[in-house]
Amino acid sequence: AQSVTQLDSHVSVSEGTPVLLRCNYSSSYSPSLFWYVQHPNKGLQLLLKYTSAATLVKGINGFEAEFKKSETSFHLTKPSAHMSDAAEYFCVVSGGGGADGLTFGKGTHLIIQP
Amino acid sequence: NAGVTQTPKFQVLKTGQSMTLQCAQDMNHEYMSWYRQDPGMGLRLIHYSVGAGITDQGEVPNGYNVSRSTTEDFPLRLLSAAPSQTSVYFCASSSANRFYYEQYFGPGTRLTVT
């Protein structure tokens, strides 16, 4: 079986402070992991992905994530939040489970306070 | 490339009406899928297709039909609309190996059933 849990439904940070969005997964396989971002009234866009190469993955707009197999985590971070980062973020695990092998987290809404 | 296009952007239906949501991609992707997005539920897979002539059910297929006669198009049909189908619908496509490559999402169709 395969599952993904985004540990916070909402995260609020001040502009200029670090961002941490948490994602834990379970998988019977060696999974690929993705983070997508959805800005208001838009479709989803890939931020970054892990596919068994380097465990620290850099994405667009200054985001990065670290794959920790021992902790089954793939947390998303950014050193300094910008107002434009306000969006919904989805963690996705692939490689087994789910009807088509892809399992989406329920999303984390990131709020940036001025 | 236009990427993934969806029409219409907005639609209001009365209970019992039928309609087709259109989805097209120009990236020659084998894999296409339909999701619905509801508050607090994340994205839920409705149907997917791994190539022309091949479709399969996702997590929430009831009340929806799909067909895939060409690589480019993957329409979603609502047979008899119900208020529970009020949602935002996203179409996505990916290369054949969707476990390793990103999905490209359309801009969405916002459907209201009264």
Side-chain angles (χ1 to χ4, degrees), chain A residues 86-108:
Chain A
E88 192 85 13
Y89 292 80
F90 293 94
C91 182
V92 181
V93 59
S94 76
D100 65 339
L102 300 171
T103 304
F104 277 75
K106 293 195 183 306
T108 298

Side-chain angles (χ1 to χ4, degrees), chain A:
Chain A
Q2 177 174 280
S3 67
V4 58
T5 302
Q6 292 184 240
L7 295 164
D8 306 291
S9 59
H10 292 79
V11 170
S12 180
V13 302
S14 298
E15 190 176 20
T17 65
V19 174
L20 170 63
L21 305 184
R22 299 182 294 165
C23 173
N24 285 356
Y25 72 93
S26 68
S27 177
S28 304
Y29 304 84
S30 295
S32 295
L33 293 152
F34 304 80
W35 276 100
Y36 286 85
V37 60
Q38 182 183 29
H39 287 98
N41 300 312
K42 300 288 187 186
L44 280 72
Q45 177 187 16
L46 182 71
L47 266 182
L48 50 81
K49 65 180 180 182
Y50 165 79
T51 56
S52 77
T55 57
L56 182 62
V57 182
K58 294 190 184 300
I60 62 172
N61 299 333
F63 284 94
E64 62 181 39
E66 187 171 7
F67 174 71
K68 293 186 176 181
K69 186 175 181 179
S70 61
E71 299 176 12
T72 61
S73 68
F74 190 56
H75 301 335
L76 182 70
T77 60
K78 182 173 180 177
S80 177
H82 191 273
M83 294 300 291
S84 61
D85 295 329
E88 192 85 13
Y89 292 80
F90 293 94
C91 182
V92 181
V93 59
S94 76
D100 65 339
L102 300 171
T103 304
F104 277 75
K106 293 195 183 306
T108 298
H109 186 59
L110 178 61
I111 300 161
I112 311 297
Q113 305 281 1

Side-chain angles (χ1 to χ4, degrees), chain B residues 38-53:
Chain B
D38 303 291
M41 307 286 285
L43 272 76
R44 292 183 290 170
L45 182 68
I46 304 171
H47 285 286
Y48 67 100
S49 167
V50 298

